Amino acid sequence: MHRTQPDQPVAPLRISLIRAGLALAVIVCGLSLRWYGFPLGLPAFVVKYGGSLLWATMVFLLVGVCLPRRSQTQITGIAMVIAIVVEFSRLVHTPWLDAFRLTTAGALLLGRIFSLWNLVAYLIGIVVGIWLDGCAVRSPTLKSQAAGSTRE
């Protein structure tokens, strides 16, 4: 007995892999900026808000990895909600949460200090994510490969 194959069995997986690769590159850039930005003499503004921008780009891409069939608009909305919730969570102080924020992982994932300027950096970072996604995932080559995978 033969089973019918889905319309585009490879495309969502390929899209997720591309986005995961982009997210990994953004993570490397963000960690490099945070760890080596000051020793290289970069201004504090670039290190702080560049890291926030890259963090939001990473969030956008990882949402896209987890939800490859969602539209860019839906991924953007989810990423914006995550960024806003994380930023406003910095106004919440409990002993366990503050202790986590003092760790490297906590500082990188949640940050420590609330700033409305971070929200601006997050918005720019999500726009960068949209641009990267448009360049890599929505390229004509990928579209033609995905369309060709359904032909027999």
Side-chain angles (χ1 to χ4, degrees):
M1 195 184 273
H2 288 67
R3 289 188 157 158
T4 60
Q5 293 195 4
D7 286 343
Q8 293 184 355
V10 180
L13 176 61
R14 183 173 289 160
I15 288 170
S16 288
L17 290 174
I18 291 169
R19 287 175 176 157
L22 288 170
L24 183 61
V26 168
I27 290 168
V28 168
C29 290
L31 291 175
S32 297
L33 179 63
R34 290 291 174 133
W35 289 336
Y36 303 113
F38 289 125
L40 290 173
L42 294 176
F45 176 86
V46 171
V47 174
K48 167 139 182 40
Y49 294 109
S52 296
L53 182 150
L54 291 169
W55 180 87
T57 303
M58 174 203 67
V59 168
F60 174 87
L61 292 168
L62 291 178
V63 169
V65 167
C66 295
L67 304 169
R69 289 188 170 98
R70 299 286 180 165
S71 70
Q72 252 188 1
T73 303
Q74 292 170 322
I75 294 169
T76 300
I78 294 167
M80 288 176 68
V81 167
I82 290 169
I84 291 167
V85 167
V86 167
E87 189 62 32
F88 278 94
S89 77
R90 295 176 189 170
L91 297 173
V92 176
H93 296 282
T94 62
W96 66 271
L97 190 54
D98 287 340
F100 178 65
R101 286 186 183 121
L102 291 176
T103 67
T104 301
L108 291 171
L109 293 173
L110 300 179
R112 294 186 178 144
I113 299 168
F114 175 82
S115 169
L116 288 175
W117 288 110
N118 276 338
L119 294 174
V120 174
Y122 295 157
L123 176 62
I124 295 168
I126 290 171
V127 169
V128 169
I130 293 166
W131 177 76
L132 284 173
D133 189 60
C135 289
V137 174
R138 306 289 180 218
S139 70
T141 305
L142 185 64
K143 283 183 181 177
S144 67
Q145 287 174 352
S149 68
T150 60
R151 295 183 189 144
E152 303 214 23

